[in-house]
Amino acid sequence: MNRYSFKTKKRALELVDALELNGGTVSKDIHGIMVWGFEYKHTPILDEEGMQTFDDDNNPLFDSVKGTTYNVDVVWKGEQPTEWEQYEVFPSTPSHTIS
């Protein structure tokens, strides 16, 4: 599986649309694709002493911050197209896996 990060949703979807998915997630070029979009990061809401805060039901509270990259994963049948190469990333701690 190859992972890709784009600065804009528009550019990501241009390349995805070029794969001619015909309404599905598989084409002549790929086994599968997952368009994750902008990933939201959840950071704990801390009190004045730097301790985690909780709601009335004792659930931890978090702020959501929109990620800065539009993410797509692709499993290619062959080599990835050249125009995808510049967007490929290799996260050391990916936030998800596909098995």
Side-chain angles (χ1 to χ4, degrees), residues 12-81:
L13 296 183
E14 286 172 353
L15 290 180
V16 169
D17 289 345
L19 295 174
E20 300 175 10
L21 298 175
N22 300 324
T25 57
V26 179
S27 76
K28 64 179 179 57
D29 299 315
I30 64 171
H31 289 291
I33 187 168
M34 184 65 199
V35 179
W36 296 102
F38 289 103
E39 183 175 357
Y40 282 79
K41 306 288 183 190
H42 302 286
T43 58
I45 297 176
L46 306 178
D47 65 16
E48 300 81 29
E49 287 95 36
M51 301 297 292
Q52 172 75 56
T53 57
F54 297 86
D55 66 14
D56 293 338
D57 295 322
N58 208 30
N59 297 307
L61 296 174
F62 294 91
D63 269 335
S64 292
V65 179
K66 184 178 177 181
T68 58
T69 59
Y70 196 86
N71 301 312
V72 178
D73 292 348
V74 181
V75 179
W76 301 100
K77 289 183 178 175
E79 294 295 317
Q80 70 181 345

